[in-house]
Amino acid sequence: LRSFERILQTDPQNSEAANALVPIYEKEEKWHRLLQVLEIVLAHAGSDADKIETLQRIAGVVGDRLGDRLGAFRWAAQAFELKPDDPAVRRTLEHWAAQADSFQELHGLYEQRLAVAVGDERAALQRRLARMAAENLGKLDDAVQKFEEILEDDPGDEEALSSLESIFRSTQQWKRLLGISQRRLEREYD
């Protein structure tokens, strides 16, 4: 332990010493020191997969062990920037957004990604943005817009139709609710 720490004192970016200290600091529950050596490991990570793994590990240490949920969200956001289409990366990001109540920031990250996303990823992001707007941000107009965009691409999308029905019912927008019912009927008879 001491020899690796001495190496880091003389060579603060020594990745071998940092990697050797990770399990030691973890076992001894020295979370601040673990964070420091994980940052060194991150700086020397070669592949995106290694960077993502380290970023997610850092997010866990920062959020779970140091109690900084917003900090954990920010580390997870860095992993999302590297691999925004990875479901595990998204789950981690969404977990820390919920823990830190950072839905506005998460919404912004997803909007940025939506601008370049295509196909299934685009549809999944539109759904997440719509649900987040309705459930976490209280922006029902934004949610309606996103669900309507989903229906433009897939007029029979059951989740979008059901969500719009729920929003229109709760906000007593009876004409718009009737429009959803008409869409369903037309679809049924086509």
Side-chain angles (χ1 to χ4, degrees), residues 10 12 35 37 46 56 62 81 83 94 109 111-112 119 127 139 164 186:
T10 58
L35 175 59
V37 295
Q56 289 185 313
V62 169
E81 288 172 10
K83 190 121 172 96
E94 290 174 5
L109 288 172
E111 281 287 354
Q112 288 173 355
R127 284 182 203 297
K139 295 181 176 182
L164 286 172
E186 288 170 3

Side-chain angles (χ1 to χ4, degrees), residues 8-94:
L8 284 180
Q9 285 176 345
T10 58
D11 181 7
Q13 292 301 311
N14 187 298
S15 64
E16 289 178 26
N19 276 309
L21 286 168
V22 167
I24 296 169
Y25 287 158
E26 220 164 24
K27 184 179 178 187
E28 294 180 1
E29 297 184 4
K30 294 182 178 181
W31 307 121
H32 288 284
R33 289 183 180 179
L34 177 60
L35 175 59
Q36 291 171 343
V37 295
L38 284 173
E39 287 176 347
I40 296 168
V41 170
L42 176 63
H44 293 279
S47 69
D48 282 353
D50 290 341
K51 289 176 186 174
I52 289 166
E53 179 183 334
T54 306
L55 285 164
Q56 289 185 313
R57 195 166 183 188
I58 290 172
V61 169
V62 169
D64 292 331
R65 303 302 183 178
L66 299 177
D68 180 1
R69 289 168 178 79
L70 182 57
F73 171 76
R74 290 184 177 142
W75 284 104
Q78 290 182 47
F80 177 74
E81 288 172 10
L82 286 174
K83 190 121 172 96
D85 59 341
D86 184 316
V89 169
R90 263 199 317 268
R91 277 192 303 276
T92 301
L93 180 64
E94 290 174 5

Side-chain angles (χ1 to χ4, degrees), residues 81-182:
E81 288 172 10
L82 286 174
K83 190 121 172 96
D85 59 341
D86 184 316
V89 169
R90 263 199 317 268
R91 277 192 303 276
T92 301
L93 180 64
E94 290 174 5
H95 167 77
W96 288 116
Q99 294 296 308
D101 195 24
S102 295
F103 292 107
Q104 190 64 48
E105 293 86 350
L106 178 61
H107 194 273
L109 288 172
Y110 281 0
E111 281 287 354
Q112 288 173 355
R113 180 63 188 168
L114 185 64
V116 296
V118 294
D120 290 343
E121 182 190 4
R122 180 172 181 75
L125 282 171
Q126 284 176 313
R127 284 182 203 297
R128 281 184 170 78
L129 285 164
R131 284 193 302 260
M132 197 182 318
E135 297 168 11
N136 305 111
L137 299 175
K139 295 181 176 182
L140 295 181
D141 290 341
D142 289 353
V144 167
Q145 179 185 350
K146 288 291 180 218
F147 283 125
E148 287 178 346
E149 288 173 10
I150 292 168
L151 289 173
E152 285 174 16
D153 293 335
D154 181 3
D157 187 283
E158 189 56 39
E159 181 185 349
L161 290 167
S162 295
S163 296
L164 286 172
E165 277 180 335
S166 178
I167 291 170
F168 295 153
R169 189 174 291 116
S170 71
T171 57
Q172 299 180 353
Q173 295 182 49
W174 308 121
K175 285 184 179 181
R176 293 181 89 179
L177 180 60
L178 181 61
I180 296 297
S181 296
Q182 288 173 332

